[in-house]
Amino acid sequence: MRYVDLDGRVGDVTGVIDPQLYLAELSGFADRLPPGAREFATDPGHYAFRGRRCVKDLVPQGAVRSGDDGIEIRFRHNCWKHDEDLVIRYTGVTVFRADMPDAPDGTGAPDVLDVPGVRDLSDLGDVILDEVLPASDGGCTHEIGCRPGTLFVACRDLSAEWSPADCPELRVGSGLRWSGDDPGS
């Protein structure tokens, strides 16, 4: 990633996830992002680590082609943090890479633009963070860092949709609370 630091340092502590440089730069290039990408990247909850709509800790589930140049990626919630799943729909896709260094088939970086059906992405692991950048052709790129893999999409635009999670642990009366919940509410 260009701006998001997935292995930052604070004093003697290493391995700190730091989106601050990206967030500082985002204000300068947000107007060059396509509308859907801009809405997703600038959402106040996107990088709020304790928030329910932060992408951190989501789990990529699968990618499927839609039409001639579209791809849809589904992300499963983390029961301890999210109460919604996320679907990102990309249009005008020119590049899609799912880089899984330890892939059992040994491919490492398959490009699913040529693969019909659903591509399983669960081996990528939990999302660490992502970065949406403007592309020179007026579209955007979206890089998603995971443990241990990476997703990369170059497209005309994207749309993100959150939907209620189907998770027994989230059912009323389960006693679970999400990080960031106010214990007084």
Side-chain angles (χ1 to χ4, degrees), residues 21-89:
L21 180 57
Y22 174 74
L23 293 172
E25 295 292 327
L26 180 61
S27 63
F29 64 71
D31 61 332
R32 295 192 336 257
L33 289 170
R38 180 173 49 251
E39 181 180 353
F40 180 61
T42 60
D43 182 303
H46 194 114
Y47 288 99
F49 288 173
R50 295 172 56 115
R52 293 185 193 169
R53 286 196 169 179
C54 179
V55 297
K56 183 179 179 320
D57 300 320
L58 290 170
V59 181
Q61 294 298 290
V64 64
R65 296 278 315 251
S66 61
D68 291 338
D69 65 354
I71 290 183
E72 177 180 291
I73 302 177
R74 294 190 172 274
F75 295 85
R76 185 179 192 284
H77 65 283
N78 175 311
C79 293
W80 297 103
K81 179 176 180 180
H82 306 99
D83 57 356
E84 295 177 296
D85 293 327
L86 175 64
V87 175
I88 302 178
R89 293 177 182 89

Side-chain angles (χ1 to χ4, degrees), residues 2 9 26 31-33 37 57 94 110-111 128 131 136-137 142 149 180:
R2 186 179 307 170
R9 180 181 196 97
L26 180 61
D31 61 332
R32 295 192 336 257
L33 289 170
D57 300 320
T94 56
D111 188 332
I128 304 171
E131 184 175 273
S136 60
D137 64 1
H142 187 199

Side-chain angles (χ1 to χ4, degrees), residues 92-135:
V93 175
T94 56
V95 177
F96 182 92
R97 284 192 315 268
D99 186 10
M100 296 177 265
D102 300 324
D105 61 4
T107 59
D111 188 332
V112 299
L113 287 177
D114 299 322
V115 179
V118 176
R119 172 74 184 197
D120 181 10
L121 299 175
S122 58
D123 287 343
L124 287 168
D126 295 357
V127 171
I128 304 171
L129 274 184
D130 70 332
E131 184 175 273
V132 181
L133 299 174

